[in-house]
Amino acid sequence: GITNIVINAADVPTTNKEKFQKRDSIDSRKLCRSLREGSLIAIHVPSREELEDRGLVRLRKRLITDIGRCKNRIKGQLNYYVIDVPDQIGESYWPKRFITWLYNLEMRHGSGNFTIRTLVSELERIQELKRDLDRHLIQLGKEKYSDPIKLLRSVPGIGMIGALTLITELGDCRRFRQFDQLCSYVGLVPNVYSSGQTEH
């Protein structure tokens, strides 16, 4: 039966003395005073469902980063042992023939062969996980967010993943009372430090 709100600590009015005399008792009185005056504004707390959908979209970004790391490790091994990639193979976009060439590459010793093949297997496994995740995200978009995705995709440059990212990161946009609040939330409002004729 008790109403609870979550407050951004930086938004609680604080005197200069309270900044240098920080104790739990002082913080409690400060919160009580602000609550009595009605100056505390609750922040948005996303639901468990929103957090899980957001986590799924963020996982895709982590997998893309992992794919880049795997590719760099493989290239690092080739550079370390001064192994040149044949011109007809090409490695710019990591085509299938390049992966096949890596699997068939014979190092001087078995340890080198095992290292290269393990790195390539790791890359392929993460790429497979990303493909599965992409399919799941497309399904999620169709089943749960079809209307907002359709609206967002009408904007040039926004695809399925971009639309899902906006939806899961922003949540319900109606919680922003002004457009400036939305811009501030996504980091499009710069910090300003101004005094007299000086402005940073």
Side-chain angles (χ1 to χ4, degrees):
I2 299 173
T3 301
N4 294 281
I5 59 174
V6 180
I7 303 297
N8 177 11
D11 290 342
V12 179
T14 305
T15 64
N16 191 53
K17 181 181 178 182
E18 288 168 339
K19 287 180 183 177
F20 294 101
Q21 303 266 329
K22 190 178 184 326
R23 294 192 191 92
D24 287 344
S25 58
I26 293 174
D27 288 344
S28 296
R29 281 197 298 270
K30 181 172 58 174
L31 285 169
C32 289
R33 184 178 64 238
S34 300
L35 190 61
R36 182 181 61 210
E37 294 169 356
S39 59
L40 293 183
I41 300 173
I43 64 171
H44 172 70
V45 180
S47 67
R48 178 68 180 261
E49 186 180 16
E50 288 176 309
L51 288 174
E52 290 184 6
D53 289 349
R54 182 185 298 172
L56 189 67
V57 176
R58 289 182 178 180
L59 176 60
R60 184 181 185 274
K61 185 177 180 181
R62 285 197 295 273
L63 289 179
I64 290 172
T65 301
D66 290 342
I67 288 171
R69 285 179 182 152
C70 287
K71 289 181 176 181
N72 288 336
R73 286 191 197 110
I74 294 169
K75 284 185 176 181
Q77 286 288 311
L78 296 177
N79 290 334
Y80 185 74
Y81 294 110
V82 197
I83 298 172
D84 294 323
V85 180
D87 292 335
Q88 66 271 23
I89 297 294
E91 57 173 314
S92 299
Y93 298 101
W94 290 71
K96 188 66 178 175
R97 62 179 178 273
F98 179 52
I99 300 295
T100 304
W101 178 79
L102 287 170
Y103 267 123
N104 296 326
L105 180 65
E106 289 296 328
M107 305 290 282
R108 292 187 183 178
H109 302 282
S111 300
N113 291 334
F114 186 80
T115 301
I116 288 290
R117 289 183 179 96
T118 301
L119 289 172
V120 176
S121 295
E122 181 188 20
L123 171 63
E124 290 191 316
R125 179 64 185 139
I126 296 174
Q127 286 177 328
E128 183 183 345
L129 288 171
K130 182 188 165 290
R131 284 192 292 271
D132 290 343
L133 180 62
D134 284 343
R135 284 192 287 270
H136 189 82
L137 286 173
I138 290 170
Q139 192 66 27
L140 177 72
K142 287 178 179 177
E143 292 176 358
K144 194 171 180 182
Y145 301 109
S146 60
D147 289 340
I149 283 177
K150 185 178 179 183
L151 184 62
L152 283 167
R153 291 190 71 180
S154 67
V155 178
I158 295 182
M160 172 67 82
I161 301 301
L164 265 175
T165 302
L166 285 169
I167 291 166
T168 55
E169 290 293 339
L170 295 178
D172 188 357
C173 286
R174 289 173 294 187
R175 64 191 173 94
F176 300 107
R177 292 191 299 273
Q178 297 173 343
F179 183 63
D180 283 350
Q181 290 179 332
L182 171 61
C183 292
S184 181
Y185 179 79
V186 298
L188 294 175
V189 177
N191 294 332
V192 178
Y193 301 94
S194 176
S195 179
Q197 302 299 317
T198 306
E199 185 171 312
H200 298 287

